[in-house]
Amino acid sequence: MTDWAYVLSVIAVMGAVTFGLRATPFLASKWLQRHAIVLRLGRFLPLAIMVLLTVHTLVGNAQSHTNGPWPELAAGLTVIVAHLWRKQALLSIVLGVLVYMAMRNGLANGLAQLWV
């Protein structure tokens, strides 16, 4: 086998494997939509991901601040109150992010100075 034939055959095989790996989810989508495990994961995975992100934020990120966990707690409380009040996820998220950014950029330092 010549060098060019070897190179072209390797490129063809790599292209076929790459295309096959990317096309498989689309080809198996109808089978995946009806599979019991996929349906069960689709029902519980979003909630599990949100719980993990919340715990990571409240425990992991909050411990890294010198001023305490006040921005995370205020943002989390804002999201809970806003969601109980209006039951709109987008509004709750936007208000939580706004409170978090305001606390991180100034209010947290002001509150920390009030406690000292």
Side-chain angles (χ1 to χ4, degrees):
M1 183 180 286
T2 62
D3 287 340
W4 281 106
Y6 176 74
V7 169
L8 290 177
S9 65
V10 167
I11 290 173
V13 169
M14 289 183 351
V17 169
T18 301
F19 180 78
L21 288 175
R22 294 184 180 180
T24 300
F26 296 104
L27 296 174
S29 65
K30 288 190 178 190
W31 177 78
L32 287 173
Q33 290 174 353
R34 290 178 282 166
H35 198 272
I37 293 175
V38 174
L39 291 174
R40 188 177 187 117
L41 285 176
R43 211 174 316 138
F44 294 108
L45 210 51
L47 177 63
I49 289 170
M50 289 304 294
V51 168
L52 284 174
L53 288 173
T54 302
V55 168
H56 174 71
T57 299
L58 291 178
V59 175
N61 282 349
Q63 291 178 345
S64 65
H65 304 308
T66 57
N67 296 331
W70 304 115
E72 286 82 8
L73 291 175
L77 187 64
T78 301
V79 169
I80 291 170
V81 169
H83 192 70
L84 290 175
W85 176 47
R86 301 299 291 180
K87 299 200 184 306
Q88 291 183 354
L90 183 60
L91 177 66
S92 304
I93 292 169
V94 168
L95 289 176
V97 168
L98 289 176
V99 167
Y100 180 74
M101 293 307 292
M103 293 284 291
R104 287 283 297 178
N105 290 325
L107 290 178
N109 293 335
L111 288 176
Q113 291 176 355
L114 287 176
W115 290 101
V116 175

